[in-house]
């Protein structure tokens, strides 16, 4: 029968002076990365390898310093580089709906924008100067004069031809303020219209034959007039073309000479853009020489500098706290012109991926997954190494036809997330492993060594100094360390969730201030811990009240067959607590085996179901070696309505079953936790501290008797970090904790009857032992079933 644990085995106490200081404001603070050597090596590797696909996924529990560690390692690296790029968008004259991207070395982008602005000013001043030059004026006048002379020559020849036939070339009004050439008969020395000829014919002064001749001659002459007009129009067009060519030929050296200064960058895309500017001017001379009122033909002769790295000498580090389509990839703004949406290259805006180009961007993976469509877009961006900027208009209310060219990027993405999220993404996204080749896994605990304990104290001292908290005494930091050991759930480990630990330090500092204490002491830390429990324990209090009123049936005294106090842990977002739950078993002869009532009611999780099946294996292997296992046994966790998961109650369920089989009553002043295997060995479970304290709280409310206690797996002794009141009760002999290694040890303690080991030639269990009684009961059931079989 196991002996109860000594009080010293129930809680780790921080050795006096272990921190190496008496107050945090007198300590050598440490802001170094503590307890994360493996993760730090992985982060450094991922940051320093610049190859494709070496993006990084940093896993671990929130509060273990993932983001701060990455930033501090980045700060320690030499990020100086000459490879940063400025990113610009300019108008695409060949395809206006597809703005052209230009990437230039850092500093060159701002210089390009300035040079382009200077070129525009020079064009605005030099083009009018060239056009107003004497040589240009004289050559243009000659072209117009030559054209006019040719046109007049054609008109004179036609006029003579018309005169010979008795017609004259005149101008007639064709519309309001409009005149055109016409040929009319000459009558009595004056051109006469055909209306007058009709009047003369009616008056008898013009014969019908003469009238008909005028008509036929007019048709012939008018056809000739049309040919003359067309020839003159061609002459005018040729003159206009010759004039335009003269202007183009004259302006070309000026325009190209001015814009050639843009080509000094040596960038091929800039050279192509400069050539397109020259072509835009020379191909649209009228627009630039005679702009409309209020129009600026040079509006498109500008550049939108999206990313300016002129002031940076190191690789950028961008922390994107609110990633979405706009903040990550950029956007295209719009204006309303004539009640229609309008946009152009000047309204393109950069996102954080472009701002991080050449460097690093840090984001929370869950923030990305919360945004519809953002994760696939990010994966596509990383795969293609390009950013595509589009208008963000999910409802397509104001569509604009603008599609800027993709921007090539070189950025290392660092995502923060949980282990579960990493696994889920790796299984669901085929390219995830190729694009995130480095995983840095942050542990939420570290070995409890003297060196790590001093480092722990140094981190607390750094936090206290950085946040200007009331100084903490060495004993207060020791109390925080004891709580951190409890958080790690192992006495040889200490938690590295410094964000949670720092919360206790902040709240302890608050309670110290309330007492006007100049130093935070250990009692302030314990008060902070207890106050937090008080704030969050409403559900626990209701459950304890229900037990005290008898609504939830739990016995803490006496004994009863087939009934055991099991233990469960109820967990919320930020608080967990333990409670006892009654486990019962009923048996009879039958063929159904062990019936899991929870499973039959769809309340059993897979692990709990596995535990029940293990119990069946235990019974078969221990007792039914020479006879069939012939029983129907039902096992139930009473008053459990929310489902059961885990196998930590399997030892309690087996104890209840053995009690029911043997008929031996089980002590109700003891509670049980631990899982069991098919050989009857008790295995470790989680939440052992919560479970012990849960039963202790029930017993304390009803009154501690000195016989009450909890059976725990012996392998969980190293996990014990119990509250001081439990330890005090054990010291006073009012409560006990029993380490149990096997079912046999446990059942002896619960029943007060020896479990019994096989002895003799047949390997029979001793008569009157727990195992002997259970085996005898199973043999009777097998015989009953065999008798019924013979009777049928």
């Amino acid at each position: 029968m196991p002996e109860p644990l000594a009080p010293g085995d129930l809680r780790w106490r921080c050795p006096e002076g272990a921190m190496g200081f008496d107050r945090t404001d007198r300590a050598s603070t440490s802001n170094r990365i503590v307890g994360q050597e493996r993760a730090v090596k992985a982060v450094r590797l991922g940051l320093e390898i610049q190859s494709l696909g070496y993006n990084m996924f940093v896993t671990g529990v929130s509060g273990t310093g993932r983001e701060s560690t990455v930033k501090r390692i980045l700060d320690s690296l030499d990020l100086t580089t000459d490879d940063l790029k400025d990113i610009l968008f300019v108008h695409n004259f060949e395809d206006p709906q597809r703005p052209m991207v230009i990437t230039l070395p850092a500093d060159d982008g701002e210089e390009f924008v300035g040079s382009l602005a200077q070129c525009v000013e020079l064009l605005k001043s030099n083009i009018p100067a060239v056009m107003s030059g004497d040589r240009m004026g004289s050559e243009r006048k000659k072209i117009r004069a030559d054209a006019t002379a040719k046109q007049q020559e054609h008109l004179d020849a036609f006029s003579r031809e018309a005169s010979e036939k008795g017609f004259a070339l005149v101008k007639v009004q064709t519309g309001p303020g409009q005149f055109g050439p016409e040929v009319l008969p000459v009558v009595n020395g004056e051109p006469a219209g055909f209306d007058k000829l009709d009047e003369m014919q009616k008056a008898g002064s013009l014969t019908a034959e003469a009238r008909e001749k005028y008509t036929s001659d007019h048709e012939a002459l008018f056809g000739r007039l049309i040919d003359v007009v067309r020839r003159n129009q061609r002459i005018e067009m040729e003159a206009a073309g010759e004039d335009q060519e003269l202007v183009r030929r004259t302006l070309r050296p000026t325009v190209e000479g001015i814009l050639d200064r843009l080509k000094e960058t040596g960038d091929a895309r800039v050279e192509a853009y400069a050539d397109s500017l020259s072509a835009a001017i020379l191909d649209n001379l009228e627009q630039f020489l005679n702009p409309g009122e209020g129009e600026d033909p040079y509006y498109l002769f500008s550049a939108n500098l999206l990313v300016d790295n002129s002031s940076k000498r190191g690789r950028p580090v961008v922390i994107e706290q609110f990633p979405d389509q706009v903040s990550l990839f950029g956007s295209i703004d719009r204006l309303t012109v004539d009640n229609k949406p309008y946009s152009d290259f000047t309204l393109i805006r950069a996102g954080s991926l472009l701002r991080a180009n050449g460097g690093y961007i840090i984001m929370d993976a869950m923030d990305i997954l919360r945004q519809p469509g953002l994760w696939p877009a990010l994966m596509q961006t990383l795969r293609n190494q390009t950013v595509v900027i589009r208008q963000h208009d999910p409802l397509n209310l104001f569509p604009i036809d603008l599609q800027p060219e993709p921007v090539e990027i070189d950025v290392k993405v660092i995502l923060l997330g949980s282990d579960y999220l990493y696994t889920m993404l790796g299984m669901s996204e085929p390219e995830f492993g190729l694009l995130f080749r480095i995983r840095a896994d942050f542990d939420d605990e570290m070995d409890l060594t003297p060196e790590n304990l001093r480092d722990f104290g140094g981190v607390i001292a750094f936090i206290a100094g950085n946040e200007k908290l009331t100084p903490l005494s060495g004993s207060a930091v020791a109390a925080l360390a004891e709580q951190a050991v409890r958080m790690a759930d192992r006495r040889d480990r200490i938690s590295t969730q410094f964000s949670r630990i720092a919360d206790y330090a902040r709240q302890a500092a608050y309670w110290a201030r309330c007492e006007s204490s100049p130093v935070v002491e250990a009692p302030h830390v314990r008060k902070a811990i207890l106050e937090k429990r008080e704030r969050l324990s409403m559900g626990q209090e209701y459950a304890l009240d229900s037990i005290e009123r008898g609504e939830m049936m739990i016995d803490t005294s006496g004994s009863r067959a087939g009934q055991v106090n099991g233990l469960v842990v109820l967990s919320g977002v930020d608080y967990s607590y333990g409670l006892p739950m009654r486990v019962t078993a009923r048996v009879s002869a039958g063929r159904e085996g062990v019936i899991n009532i929870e499973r039959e009611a769809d309340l059993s999780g897979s692990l709990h179901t596995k535990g029940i099946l293990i119990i069946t294996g235990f019974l078969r292997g221990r007792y039914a070696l020479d006879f069939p296992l012939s029983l129907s046994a039902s096992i139930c966790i009473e008053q459990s309505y929310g489902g059961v998961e885990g196998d930590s109650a399997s030892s309690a369920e087996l104890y209840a079953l053995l009690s029911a089989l043997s008929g031996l009553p089980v002590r109700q002043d003891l509670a049980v936790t631990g899982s069991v295997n098919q050989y009857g060995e008790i295995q470790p479970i989680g939440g052992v501290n919560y479970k012990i304290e849960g039963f202790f709280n029930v017993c304390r409310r009803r009154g501690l008797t000195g016989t009450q206690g909890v059976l725990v797996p012996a392998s969980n002794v190293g996990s014990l970090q119990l509250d001081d009141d439990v330890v005090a009760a054990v010291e006073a002999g009012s409560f006990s904790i029993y380490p149990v290694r096997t079912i046999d040890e446990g059942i002896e303690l619960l029943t007060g009857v020896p479990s019994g080991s096989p002895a003799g030639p047949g390997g029979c269990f001793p008569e009157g032992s727990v195992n002997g009684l259970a085996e005898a009961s199973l043999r009777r059931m097998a015989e009953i079933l065999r008798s019924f079989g013979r009777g049928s």
Side-chain angles (χ1 to χ4, degrees):
M1 188 176 296
E3 292 295 322
L5 292 173
D9 295 327
L10 305 182
R11 182 179 179 88
W12 173 81
R13 302 288 183 182
C14 184
E16 187 175 353
M19 299 302 164
F21 55 81
D22 61 343
R23 289 172 42 152
T24 54
D25 56 343
R26 299 170 184 168
S28 298
T29 60
S30 171
N31 67 341
R32 75 181 189 86
I33 302 161
V34 174
Q36 305 292 354
E37 289 76 13
R38 179 187 293 107
V40 168
K41 287 175 63 177
V43 170
R44 191 173 294 276
L45 176 69
L47 293 178
E48 293 185 344
I49 295 180
Q50 299 299 324
S51 302
L52 179 65
Y54 276 83
N55 301 295
M56 191 187 322
F57 200 104
V58 183
T59 59
V61 177
S62 179
T64 52
R66 297 170 301 173
E67 182 177 326
S68 60
T69 297
V70 173
K71 289 191 291 186
R72 282 158 61 182
I73 294 177
L74 282 169
D75 291 340
S76 70
L77 299 178
D78 182 10
L79 301 182
T80 305
T81 181
D82 295 327
D83 296 333
L84 294 183
K85 302 290 185 182
D86 290 340
I87 302 174
L88 309 94
F89 270 99
V90 295
H91 182 69
N92 188 338
F93 289 93
E94 294 182 358
D95 187 356
Q97 304 307 318
R98 192 172 174 81
M100 176 180 175
V101 64
I102 294 176
T103 56
L104 297 173
D107 293 333
D108 288 1
E110 189 175 13
E111 183 178 345
F112 174 80
V113 172
S115 297
L116 182 57
Q118 291 178 1
C119 289
V120 170
E121 294 303 318
L122 289 173
L123 290 170
K124 288 181 177 180
S125 59
N126 280 263
I127 288 178
V130 172
M131 294 299 296
S132 62
D134 294 340
R135 179 180 176 185
M136 172 69 80
S138 61
E139 291 189 12
R140 296 187 76 188
K141 285 181 181 179
K142 183 176 183 305
I143 291 173
R144 288 195 293 271
D146 290 346
T148 302
K150 289 180 181 179
Q151 290 174 325
Q152 190 61 46
E153 182 180 341
H154 292 157
L155 290 174
D156 291 345
F158 176 76
S159 181
R160 289 193 295 272
E161 180 182 350
S163 179
E164 291 174 359
K165 293 186 177 183
F167 282 77
L169 179 63
V170 298
K171 287 185 178 182
V172 297
Q173 188 171 1
T174 58
Q178 296 181 349
F179 295 89
E182 175 64 289
V183 285
L184 294 177
V186 177
V187 179
N188 298 325
E190 295 291 335
F194 282 90
D195 292 340
K196 187 171 183 180
L197 293 181
D198 291 338
E199 292 176 0
M200 292 175 63
Q201 183 179 358
K202 289 180 181 179
S205 57
L206 182 67
T207 64
E209 292 77 5
R211 173 67 173 79
E212 183 63 29
K213 187 173 186 311
Y214 277 129
T215 300
S216 61
D217 288 346
H218 177 268
E219 290 178 356
L221 287 173
F222 191 76
R224 288 278 296 117
L225 177 60
I226 291 174
D227 291 339
V228 170
V229 170
R230 287 175 177 171
R231 285 201 303 271
N232 284 352
Q233 286 176 341
R234 284 196 294 270
I235 291 172
E236 187 172 352
M237 292 173 59
E238 290 172 359
E242 188 176 347
D243 180 78
Q244 188 176 27
E245 182 59 32
L246 170 66
V247 174
R248 285 171 57 89
R249 188 172 61 252
T250 305
L251 288 179
R252 185 183 299 277
T254 300
V255 173
E256 293 181 348
I258 292 173
L259 294 174
D260 276 351
R261 65 183 61 196
L262 296 177
K263 299 181 180 182
E264 294 174 0
T265 61
D267 184 85
R269 291 182 70 82
V270 172
E271 292 179 1
Y273 176 64
D275 291 339
S276 70
L277 293 179
S278 299
I281 294 174
L282 298 175
D283 292 344
N284 301 276
L285 286 172
E286 183 61 28
Q287 180 180 344
F288 286 89
L289 296 177
N290 301 298
E293 185 177 353
E295 293 182 358
D296 181 9
Y298 295 97
Y299 167 71
L300 299 176
F301 284 49
S302 61
N304 181 3
L305 183 57
L306 261 70
V307 178
D308 181 10
N309 285 316
S310 59
S311 60
K312 298 182 179 66
R313 291 296 175 263
R315 298 185 184 277
V317 178
V318 176
I319 301 174
E320 181 53 72
Q321 296 179 327
F322 304 98
D324 57 25
Q325 288 284 351
V326 174
S327 65
L328 197 57
F329 299 106
S331 63
I332 305 174
D333 293 344
R334 62 178 177 268
L335 303 174
T336 301
V337 179
D338 296 333
N339 293 322
K340 296 181 181 179
Y342 167 82
S343 187
D344 59 34
F345 70 98
T346 64
L347 299 175
I348 300 173
R349 302 291 178 255
S352 51
L353 278 173
L354 289 185
R355 291 195 296 274
N357 188 33
Y360 310 88
I361 183 170
I362 303 172
M363 298 179 287
D364 191 294
M366 185 55 72
D367 289 341
I368 297 173
L369 292 170
R370 288 191 185 103
Q371 298 291 328
L374 195 58
W375 176 257
L378 177 62
M379 293 296 289
Q380 187 176 17
T381 296
L382 295 179
R383 181 176 64 248
N384 298 325
Q385 291 290 285
T386 56
V387 168
V388 177
I389 303 176
R390 294 291 182 264
Q391 178 200 18
H392 185 65
D393 184 12
L395 300 180
N396 200 31
L397 298 177
F398 304 99
I400 54 175
D401 188 15
L402 198 69
Q403 298 183 350
E405 292 180 343
V407 184
E408 293 185 3
I409 59 169
D410 177 19
V411 61
K412 186 178 293 293
V413 175
I414 303 167
L415 296 182
L416 310 178
S418 65
D419 294 342
Y420 171 78
L421 192 58
Y422 178 86
T423 302
M424 184 188 71
L425 292 173
M427 295 176 64
S428 62
E429 181 62 62
E431 295 179 313
F432 179 75
L434 299 176
L435 295 176
F436 289 88
R437 296 176 184 267
I438 297 294
R439 177 186 180 183
D441 194 11
F442 277 69
D443 200 350
D444 58 353
E445 54 189 49
M446 61 183 175
D447 291 335
L448 184 58
T449 63
E451 295 78 11
N452 285 344
L453 197 54
R454 285 193 295 271
D455 288 338
F456 176 91
V459 172
I460 298 301
F462 173 78
I463 294 172
N466 189 54
E467 298 187 13
K468 297 181 174 55
L469 299 179
T470 303
L472 283 76
S473 68
S475 62
V477 178
L480 289 174
E482 293 177 12
Q483 180 65 16
V485 169
R486 178 182 170 95
M487 290 165 57
D489 212 23
R490 284 174 55 182
R491 287 210 303 265
D492 60 347
R493 304 279 286 175
I494 186 168
S495 175
T496 55
Q497 297 183 57
F498 286 106
S499 64
R500 291 179 58 190
I501 298 165
D503 278 341
Y504 288 118
R506 297 180 188 107
Q507 293 168 31
Y510 166 79
W511 293 115
R513 289 197 306 273
C514 290
E515 297 178 5
S516 301
S517 175
V519 178
V520 178
E521 299 289 356
H524 298 130
V525 174
R526 285 192 283 272
K527 184 174 179 61
I529 295 170
L530 293 176
E531 286 289 337
K532 180 178 179 180
R533 290 185 188 176
E534 178 69 20
R535 291 194 302 273
L536 302 175
S537 61
M538 181 184 295
Q540 181 183 14
E541 291 298 323
Y542 281 142
L544 292 174
D545 290 344
S546 177
I547 293 174
E548 193 168 2
R549 292 192 300 268
E551 295 171 354
M552 186 173 178
M553 298 179 181
I554 299 293
D555 292 336
T556 55
S557 62
S559 59
R560 188 170 181 180
Q563 178 176 302
V564 175
N565 288 323
L567 296 169
V568 297
V569 174
L570 303 178
S571 296
V573 174
D574 48 8
Y575 186 66
S576 299
Y577 60 93
L579 282 177
M581 297 289 289
R582 177 177 287 180
V583 178
T584 60
R586 302 299 299 269
V587 298
S588 68
R591 300 185 185 278
E592 287 84 356
V594 179
I595 301 170
N596 178 5
I597 291 180
E598 313 299 326
R599 183 176 182 274
E600 297 299 317
D602 290 330
L603 292 175
S604 177
S606 57
L607 295 180
H608 179 255
T609 300
K610 176 185 177 183
I612 297 295
L613 296 175
I614 287 174
I615 291 174
T616 302
F618 170 84
L619 295 176
R620 186 183 297 112
R622 172 163 290 195
Y623 304 116
L625 296 177
D626 57 355
F627 64 89
L629 191 63
S630 307
L631 86 161
S632 293
S634 60
I635 295 178
C636 178
I637 299 178
E638 304 289 355
Q639 294 182 288
S640 171
Y641 308 111
V644 178
E645 180 57 303
D647 62 350
S648 65
S650 59
S651 66
E653 291 164 332
L654 181 51
Y655 289 137
L657 185 56
L658 290 176
S659 172
L661 287 169
S662 65
L664 296 172
V666 171
R667 289 173 58 182
Q668 299 300 298
D669 56 356
L670 296 177
V672 174
T673 186
S675 68
V676 65
N677 62 26
Q678 293 188 100
Y679 293 96
E681 297 168 326
I682 303 298
Q683 302 171 142
I685 44 83
V688 64
N689 294 301
Y690 296 123
K691 292 176 179 179
I692 294 172
E693 291 162 4
F695 189 64
F696 173 80
N697 289 331
V698 173
C699 294
R700 181 171 55 181
R701 282 198 170 201
R702 291 181 172 178
L704 295 173
T705 63
T707 63
Q708 296 151 333
V710 177
L711 280 65
V712 300
S715 50
N716 270 125
V717 172
S719 302
L720 296 180
Q721 186 70 1
L722 293 168
D723 285 342
D724 288 329
D725 50 0
V726 180
V727 177
V730 172
E731 288 178 339
S734 303
F735 198 77
S736 301
I737 312 295
Y738 298 94
V740 177
R741 291 178 173 80
T742 65
I743 284 291
D744 289 333
E745 290 182 356
I747 199 65
E748 285 186 0
L749 189 60
L750 289 168
T751 62
V753 176
S755 60
S757 299
C764 297
F765 292 104
E767 186 177 352
S769 68
V770 176
N771 286 319
L773 292 171
E775 183 181 41
S777 178
L778 289 170
R779 285 185 181 276
R780 284 196 303 274
M781 293 178 186
E783 183 60 32
I784 291 171
L785 224 59
R786 189 161 43 247
S787 299
F788 270 93
R790 285 198 301 267
S792 61

